[in-house]
C-alpha cells in the first residue's frame, strides 16, 4: 500500500503556505517540503488508494508501482536540488510556480485514471509557463504565450482522446493502449504525449521557451515536462514501433541543430530533444531491457541535464550573457563552476564511470539485442554528436577559448552546493549502477562495464575529440538565429495572414460594397413593397374580420332578452329542427 503523505499533496500544501512567509523562513520551507516529499517517496510501496466514484466514472487518485516510483524518486531528488539552487531568489511567485509544477509532475506519475492525469497535466503546463513569464521581458512574454498555446492545444487533444477512449472501452483507468487497434483515441493521446516529449516537428516550443526562462526556472523546466511525457509513453505505449523512428530522428535532430546554435541554453535545449529521443526509441522497442533503459536514462538525464542548466545559469547570472560569441576565458575566476559543469558534460556524453554511460548504453544494447542494427548505429552517432557539442564545443567557447575580458566571481554558494549534489549523483550512478538498476520496473540482467562496451565507447569518444581538435575553426559559433521546425509554423502563420489580408479581405470588401450599393437598394425596395402589402392586404383582411365579428356580436346581444320562456322556445325549435331535418330528408327520398 501507499504510506504516508502523497508527495503531490505535500508540494501543493507547500505552495499554499509559501506566500505567507518571508525571508529565511520561506527559503527554509522551500527546501524542507521537497525533503519531506523525498521521505514520502522512500516510504512508498506498490499499491493504490484514493478510489473515487464520481459522475459514473471510477477514479484512482494514487497508484504506485515500480515504474512510477523510479520517476518519483528522481523528481523528488531534483525538487530538493532545484530549490537549493534557487535559495537566493526573492521572487515568491517563482517558488510557488515551481512547487505547483513539481506537485503536478508527481500527480502525473501517480495517477491511476485518465482524468486525474489530465488535471495534473494541465496544471503542469500553467505552472511551468510562469517560470518563463517571470523573466519579465518582451522575449520571455512572447515565448511564454507560445508555450502556453502549444500545451493548451496538447491538453485539448489529450482530453478528446480520453473521452473517445472511455466511450470505446467503458473504462477511464490508465493502462497500456492497444497499438494494434489504433484508432482516433489512440492517436490523439499519442500526439499529445509526443508534443510534451518535444518530438519533431512538435518540438519548437522547447528551444523557443527554455532559453527565455529565469535562471532557476530553466532548471526545473529541464527536469519535468519532457520526462513526464516519457513516463506516460512507457506506461501507455510500450512497443509502439512508430516511436522508434521518431526517437532516432530526435536523437539526430538535436545534435545537428546544436551545431548551429550560439545561445548556450538553446544549445542545451536541443540536447534535451536528442536525449529524450533515446528514451522514445526505447519505448518503441518495447522489450523489458529497452523499457528499463528508457526509465534509467530518464533518471540519469534529469540529474545531468539539471547540472548542465545550473552551470549555464550560473554563467548567465554572473555575466549577464548567454551567447557563446560573447563568452570565453571564464575558467580563471569560475573554476568550481567549470569542474561541476564538466561532470555533467561527461555524464551526458556517456563517458565510463558517469551516469549517462550506464543508462544510454542499455538502450543501444537493447536495440542491438532486438536485431535493430541501424537503430543502434544511429544512436551511437548521435551520442558522438552530444559529446562534440555539450562536452566540447559549449564548455570550450563558454569557459575557455577567446578571452571575453570578463572576470565574474563564482555564483552564490547555494548554487554551487546544488550543482555539487547533482554532480555526486552523476558520478555515483556511474560507479555504482546497481543502485539505479535495482529501482527499475523489470529485473535487470545487464552489465555496462564489459570490455566491449567500455572499449567501444572510449573509441567513439576519442574519435570525436580528435575531430573536434581538427575541425575546431569550423565550429566557431556565429551571431545568427537558427530556424528549425518553427520555420514551418512561421511560414504557415505568414500564409494564414496573407490569406486573411488578401483573398478574405477582398471578398469581405466586395460583399460590403455589394450590400451598400445594389444590394442595399434592393433591400429598401423589398421593404417598401412588403409595407404596402401589409397595409393594403393584410390589414384590410384583419380589419374586415374584426368588423364582421363586431356586427355579429351586436346581433347576438339583441337575442339575449333574459326571459327564460324565450330561451325555452328557441331550444324546442332547435330540437325540432335537429330531429325533423333527417326525417324530412328520409321522407323525401325515393
Amino acid at each position: 500500500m501507499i504510506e504516508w503523505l502523497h508527495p503531490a499533496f505535500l508540494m501543493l500544501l507547500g505552495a499554499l503556505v509559501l506566500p505567507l512567509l518571508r525571508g529565511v523562513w520561506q527559503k527554509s520551507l522551500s527546501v524542507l517540503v521537497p525533503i519531506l516529499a523525498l521521505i514520502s517517496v522512500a516510504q512508498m510501496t506498490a499499491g493504490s488508494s484514493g478510489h473515487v466514484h464520481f459522475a459514473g466514472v471510477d477514479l484512482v487518485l494514487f497508484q504506485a508501482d515500480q515504474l512510477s516510483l523510479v520517476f518519483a524518486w528522481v523528481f523528488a531528488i531534483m525538487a530538493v536540488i532545484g530549490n537549493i539552487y534557487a535559495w537566493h531568489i526573492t521572487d515568491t511567485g517563482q517558488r510557488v510556480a515551481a512547487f505547483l509544477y513539481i506537485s503536478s509532475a508527481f500527480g502525473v506519475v501517480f495517477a491511476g485514471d485518465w482524468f486525474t492525469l489530465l488535471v495534473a497535466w494541465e496544471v503542469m503546463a500553467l505552472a511551468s509557463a510562469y517560470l518563463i513569464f517571470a523573466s519579465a521581458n518582451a522575449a520571455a512574454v512572447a515565448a511564454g504565450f507560445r508555450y502556453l498555446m502549444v500545451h493548451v492545444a496538447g491538453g485539448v487533444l489529450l482530453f478528446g482522446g480520453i473521452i473517445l477512449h472511455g466511450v470505446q472501452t467503458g473504462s477511464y483507468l490508465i493502462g497500456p493502449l492497444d497499438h494494434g487497434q489504433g484508432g482516433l483515441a489512440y492517436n490523439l493521446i499519442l500526439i499529445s504525449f509526443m508534443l510534451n516529449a518535444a518530438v519533431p516537428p512538435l518540438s519548437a516550443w522547447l528551444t523557443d521557451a527554455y532559453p527565455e526562462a529565469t535562471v532557476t526556472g530553466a532548471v526545473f523546466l529541464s527536469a519535468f515536462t519532457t520526462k513526464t511525457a516519457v513516463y506516460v509513453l512507457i506506461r501507455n505505449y510500450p512497443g509502439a514501433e512508430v516511436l522508434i523512428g521518431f526517437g532516432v530522428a530526435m536523437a539526430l535532430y538535436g545534435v545537428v541543430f546544436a551545431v548551429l546554435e550560439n545561445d548556450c541554453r538553446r544549445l542545451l535545449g536541443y540536447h534535451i530533444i536528442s536525449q529524450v529521443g533515446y528514451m522514445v526509441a526505447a519505448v518503441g522497442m518495447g522489450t523489458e531491457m529497452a523499457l528499463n533503459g528508457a526509465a534509467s536514462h530518464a533518471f540519469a538525464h534529469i540529474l545531468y541535464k539539471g547540472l548542465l542548466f545550473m552551470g549555464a545559469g550560473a554563467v548567465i547570472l554572473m555575466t549577464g550573457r548567454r551567447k557563446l560569441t560573447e563568452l570565453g576565458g571564464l575558467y580563471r575566476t569560475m573554476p568550481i563552476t567549470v569542474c561541476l559543469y564538466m561532470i555533467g558534460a561527461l555524464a551526458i556524453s556517456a563517458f565510463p564511470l558517469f551516469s549517462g554511460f550506464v543508462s544510454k548504453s542499455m538502450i543501444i544494447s537493447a536495440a542491438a539485442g532486438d536485431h535493430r542494427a541501424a537503430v543502434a548505429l544511429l544512436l551511437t552517432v548521435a551520442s558522438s554528436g552530444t559529446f562534440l557539442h555539450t562536452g566540447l564545443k559549449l564548455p570550450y567557447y563558454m569557459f575557455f577559448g577567446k578571452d571575453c575580458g570578463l572576470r565574474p566571481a563564482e555564483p552564490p554558494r547555494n548554487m554551487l552546493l546544488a550543482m555539487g549534489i547533482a554532480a555526486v549523483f552523476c558520478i555515483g550512478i556511474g560507479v555504482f549502477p546497481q543502485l539505479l538498476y535495482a529501482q527499475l520496473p523489470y529485473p535487470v540482467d545487464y552489465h555496462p562495464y564489459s570490455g566491449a562496451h567500455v572499449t567501444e565507447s572510449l573509441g567513439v569518444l576519442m574519435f570525436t575529440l580528435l575531430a573536434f581538435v581538427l575541425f575546431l575553426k569550423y565550429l566557431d559559433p556565429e551571431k545568427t538565429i537558427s530556424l528549425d521546425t518553427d520555420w514551418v509554423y512561421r511560414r504557415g502563420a505568414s500564409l494564414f495572414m496573407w490569406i486573411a489580408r488578401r483573398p478574405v479581405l477582398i471578398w469581405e470588401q466586395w460583399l460590403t460594397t455589394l450590400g451598400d450599393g445594389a444590394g442595399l437598394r434592393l433591400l429598401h425596395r423589398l421593404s417598401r413593397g412588403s409595407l404596402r402589402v401589409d397595409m393594403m392586404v393584410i390589414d384590410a383582411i384583419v380589419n374586415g374580420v374584426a368588423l364582421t365579428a363586431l356586427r355579429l356580436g351586436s346581433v347576438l346581444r339583441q337575442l339575449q332578452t333574459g326571459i327564460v320562456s324565450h330561451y325555452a322556445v328557441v331550444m324546442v325549435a332547435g330540437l325540432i329542427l335537429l330531429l325533423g331535418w333527417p326525417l324530412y330528408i328520409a321522407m323525401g327520398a325515393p
Side-chain angles (χ1 to χ4, degrees), residues 334-351:
M334 301 182 73
I336 300 176
T337 302
V338 174
C339 292
L340 293 174
Y341 174 90
M342 287 309 302
I343 292 174
L346 295 175
I348 193 175
S349 303
F351 253 86

Side-chain angles (χ1 to χ4, degrees), residues 114-379:
W114 286 106
F115 286 111
T116 301
L117 185 147
L118 177 65
V119 171
W121 196 261
E122 291 305 292
V123 173
M124 188 168 62
L126 296 173
S128 58
Y130 183 87
L131 299 176
I132 304 167
F133 288 126
S135 290
N137 57 64
V141 171
F145 273 115
R146 289 191 293 269
Y147 178 93
L148 265 183
M149 286 190 293
V150 169
H151 286 279
V152 168
V156 171
L157 294 177
L158 178 59
F159 180 63
I162 289 171
I163 296 300
L164 290 176
H165 173 72
V167 171
Q168 292 171 2
T169 64
S171 172
Y172 290 95
L173 300 181
I174 291 176
L177 301 178
D178 187 355
H179 56 83
Q181 293 181 351
L184 183 57
Y186 177 93
N187 290 316
L188 287 177
I189 296 173
L190 178 60
I191 292 171
S192 68
F193 289 168
M194 291 171 65
L195 188 151
N196 268 37
V199 177
L202 306 175
S203 60
W205 61 267
L206 191 153
T207 49
D208 177 44
Y210 284 18
E212 305 301 335
T214 63
V215 166
T216 55
V219 175
F220 292 110
L221 289 170
S222 71
F224 297 108
T225 297
T226 52
K227 262 58 75 182
T228 52
V230 170
Y231 165 79
V232 293
L233 286 173
I234 297 173
R235 173 72 67 190
N236 298 284
Y237 288 91
E241 293 196 358
V242 66
L243 294 176
I244 299 176
F246 278 113
V248 172
M250 289 176 70
L252 296 172
Y253 170 91
V255 298
V256 168
F257 276 95
V259 176
L260 309 173
E261 194 47 57
N262 185 32
D263 186 306
C264 63
R265 289 199 298 186
R266 188 172 168 90
L267 188 153
L268 293 175
Y270 279 118
H271 279 291
I272 290 179
I273 297 172
S274 178
Q275 296 302 298
V276 172
Y278 286 83
M279 308 169 208
V280 171
V283 174
M285 296 176 209
T287 64
E288 290 188 357
M289 184 177 181
L291 296 178
N292 276 340
S296 64
H297 199 47
F299 193 108
H301 177 266
I302 287 173
L303 294 168
Y304 65 59
K305 183 59 71 173
L307 176 54
L308 293 171
F309 266 90
M310 286 189 281
V315 170
I316 293 171
L317 179 67
M318 303 311 295
T319 66
R321 301 180 183 180
R322 68 189 205 192
K323 304 292 187 181
L324 298 182
T325 51
E326 301 171 355
L327 296 169
L330 303 183
Y331 73 93
R332 294 179 175 86
T333 56
M334 301 182 73
I336 300 176
T337 302
V338 174
C339 292
L340 293 174
Y341 174 90
M342 287 309 302
I343 292 174
L346 295 175
I348 193 175
S349 303
F351 253 86
L353 302 180
F354 291 88
S355 57
F357 176 78
V358 304
S359 60
K360 188 183 294 185
S361 63
M362 184 184 290
I363 295 175
I364 296 175
S365 296
D370 201 30
H371 307 292
R372 302 180 186 273
V375 173
L377 175 61
L378 292 174
L379 293 180

